[in-house]
Amino acid sequence: MLAGDFGAAKQKAIEFIFEYGTALNAPYLVPVSSVAGGLDTSKYSHNYYKKYGMDALFSEFNLNSSEKVEIPMVEVQTVTTISLTDIEQSDEIGVDKEIHDYCVVSEEYSKAKGMHCLFTCAPYHSGLIPTFGEHLAWMESSAVIIANSLFGARTNTESLESAGASSLSGRTPYWGLHCPENRYATHRFQIDCTVEHDRDWGLLGYLIGEIAQENIPVITGLEYRPTFDELKHFGASAASSGGVELYHIVGITPEAHTMEMALGGQKPKEIIHISEKDIKSVYKKLNTQVESDDVDYIVLGCPHYSLNQVQELIWLLNGRVVNPSVEMWVYVPYTIKLMCERQGYAQTLKKSGVRLLADTCAVVGNLAPEGTRYVATNAAKQAHYLPSVMNVQCFYGSTEDCVEAALSGKWKGGF
Ligand code: F3S
């Protein structure tokens, strides 16, 4: 590949991976079984595409090559991460026509190169479930932390360039979380309070992320077993307030059957006790900057919702209709949207005035109804990013709190 026997693009790809590994002192490369990445669909790359075309865009943005090369089919299973719009509703949600057209072209190009157009940060809801010990090259921090922690697969958080190069070369450098010796917990978090629903799991993740930063937490002391969806909230939060890519929960996650196994026989560098007061302080931090109790826009589905979470929302709404002054947008993978239509959930949500959107999200697509000032969300990651990304003020709370805000137009949540 390096000698160019498989074409110029694969040569560029393996050169990039080789340099990446050399810089990190990786002893060798490993084959990856899947890549989560895809094309850059930012406004900046859009201008580049208009000037030079898609192959040049992929060469520059995914292979770090200013020389344009013809891009072949991907070497390994490659799925696209989140996009800037739901192309079936671009007009209704106010997405610029140029961006919409660019996303359409980008999707066609990705399909032609053999990528699977999942356009989600939750590829595991669309059938991409890695097995224990598999090497991956995934982007998107909320997906990476799930792949490492809950599936026991091995991936670092890749960039657009390294994921693109892995999709064509099928390789990644053996470093970081690919190496078993780097996967042991370093910091123990002892939970001394009850953590019992999505709001608390988001807060706990946010708090642990802030403290752990790029270290590896092991969590002990939980009173009950969290659901997969609660752990989705937890992981996405820990990866946004800090850089956590892997955590362990003794008795729950696959590399932590016991404390000794999670720590690799070592002592933790630190033992941190978490109380209800600590969790409450994060709640206050995520809710401090709101000057009114009005709510204009509710954001659910970060990370992208599962079918079960959509059903829970329908139960909470219980046939009631969203206040006319509020927009409630729920973000899901396209496959879940199709299942929602099959189950009748999409139709039920529509009757309640809720918009179901696939392939995108508020933060990545900068999506909000015109004039939005006050957002409510059950996702700490959205509450973390939206104020700076979209210049809005944000309430954070449970799904129940968000539903009540959608019905009344007022935030009544609390801790
Ligand atoms: Fe996914 Fe967007 Fe949240 S990419 S994790 S829904 S910020």
Side-chain angles (χ1 to χ4, degrees), residues 252-385:
I252 291 179
T253 57
E255 288 164 84
H257 294 176
T258 61
M259 176 71 89
E260 200 187 19
M261 183 182 173
L263 288 160
Q266 303 293 312
K267 283 205 162 73
K269 287 185 186 155
E270 224 181 308
I271 301 178
I272 300 120
H273 286 262
I274 302 286
S275 65
E276 189 175 316
K277 197 168 145 225
D278 299 323
I279 294 189
K280 219 173 190 169
S281 71
V282 185
Y283 179 83
K284 282 197 187 129
K285 190 184 279 184
L286 290 175
N287 281 289
T288 41
Q289 285 168 2
V290 189
E291 65 205 10
S292 155
D293 61 354
D294 287 346
V295 172
D296 312 310
Y297 174 36
I298 317 283
V299 175
L300 302 180
C302 169
H304 272 176
Y305 256 11
S306 65
L307 195 59
N308 211 37
Q309 288 174 296
V310 175
Q311 184 187 46
E312 187 203 7
L313 173 63
I314 287 172
W315 286 344
L316 289 170
L317 283 163
N318 195 20
R320 293 173 293 173
V321 177
V322 167
N323 192 292
S325 66
V326 180
E327 292 269 352
M328 184 182 232
W329 293 4
V330 181
Y331 297 91
V332 292
Y334 190 74
T335 50
I336 297 294
K337 190 173 161 196
L338 291 179
M339 277 307 297
C340 285
E341 281 159 11
R342 183 182 201 177
Q343 289 285 135
Y345 295 165
Q347 297 80 339
T348 307
L349 287 177
K350 199 171 176 193
K351 276 192 205 148
S352 282
V354 178
R355 185 181 290 281
L356 197 59
L357 287 158
D359 297 345
T360 186
C361 82
V363 164
V364 173
N366 280 3
L367 297 173
E370 222 184 316
T372 295
R373 290 162 311 153
Y374 306 116
V375 182
T377 180
N378 64 354
K381 184 169 179 180
Q382 295 280 331
H384 177 85
Y385 287 115

